[in-house]
C-alpha cells in the first residue's frame, strides 16, 4: 500500500530515522540480498481489530486460515534466507489466534534451529508494558483496555539468527 508506506516513512522521519523502505513483492526478493532487520506485518484474519471493526463477525466470507497461515509461513521462511547472521526478524499480526501467532512461530523455530526468540523486555523508559509480554517473551494480547487506552489485539515475536 503506497499510503501505508508514506505513513511509515513520515513516522520514521519524525523519529529521525532514515531507513531504506522498499515496496516490492517480498517473496520475489533475490536470496543473495541480505538485511540486518526484517519486519513482517503479515496478512492475517485481523481478529485483533474486532473492537474497532465489529463487522468482522458479519462478513459473508470467513477468513481462509489455510491460505493465510501458508502465506505467514512463506514470509517467515523467505525472511530466514534474507536476514544476516545476528540479524533480527520481527513477525507480527493483528490477531491473537494461536494458529496465526504461536503456532506459526513455533513451527518456524522447529524448522529453523539457527533462530531463537529474543524476548521483549519492559524497561523503565516504557509505559510499563510488562503485562503485555508473555512468559516466552512475545507481545501477545487480546483487544483490551491498557492503562487509559483501548488497544487492539496483536502478536509480535522477535527472532534472531544465530549461525
Amino acid at each position: 500500500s503506497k499510503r501505508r508506506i508514506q505513513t511509515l516513512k513520515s513516522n520514521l522521519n519524525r523519529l529521525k530515522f532514515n531507513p531504506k523502505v522498499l515496496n516490492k513483492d517480498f517473496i520475489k526478493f533475490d536470496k543473495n540480498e541480505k538485511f540486518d532487520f526484517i519486519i513482517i506485518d503479515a496478512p492475517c484474519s485481523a481478529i485483533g481489530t474486532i473492537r474497532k471493526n465489529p463487522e468482522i463477525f458479519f462478513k459473508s466470507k470467513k477468513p481462509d486460515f489455510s491460505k493465510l497461515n501458508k502465506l505467514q509461513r512463506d514470509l517467515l521462511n523467505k525472511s530466514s534466507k534474507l536476514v544476516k547472521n545476528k540479524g533480527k526478524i520481527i513477525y507480527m499480526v493483528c490477531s491473537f489466534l494461536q494458529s496465526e501467532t504461536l503456532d506459526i512461530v513455533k513451527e518456524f523455530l522447529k524448522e529453523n534451529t539457527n533462530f531463537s526468540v529474543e524476548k521483549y523486555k519492559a524497561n523503565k523508559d516504557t509505559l510499563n508494558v510488562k503485562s503485555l509480554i508473555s512468559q516466552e517473551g512475545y507481545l501477545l494480547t487480546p483487544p483490551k483496555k491498557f492503562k487509559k487506552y483501548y488497544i487492539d489485539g496483536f502478536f509480535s515475536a522477535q527472532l534472531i539468527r544465530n549461525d
Side-chain angles (χ1 to χ4, degrees), residues 3 15 27 32 87 128 134 144 156:
R3 181 186 56 77
L15 296 168
I27 299 297
N32 294 316
N128 192 16
S134 73
K144 68 179 194 173
S156 179

Side-chain angles (χ1 to χ4, degrees), residues 66-120:
S66 177
K67 185 177 177 182
L68 288 169
N69 292 159
K70 180 183 181 329
L71 181 55
Q72 293 156 355
R73 285 190 301 274
D74 288 350
L75 290 168
L76 260 178
N77 287 326
K78 181 66 175 197
S79 66
S80 72
K81 296 175 181 36
L82 297 175
V83 72
K84 296 176 184 176
N85 186 35
K86 300 299 178 197
K88 289 185 185 179
I89 300 169
I90 302 281
Y91 170 78
M92 58 186 161
V93 287
C94 54
S95 174
F96 51 88
L97 300 176
Q98 185 169 334
S99 67
E100 296 185 287
T101 60
L102 299 172
D103 289 353
I104 297 294
V105 171
K106 285 179 183 178
E107 181 182 333
F108 173 79
L109 291 171
K110 185 177 178 183
E111 294 173 2
N112 295 274
T113 57
N114 58 330
F115 281 85
S116 61
V117 174
E118 185 167 302
K119 293 182 175 187
Y120 284 107

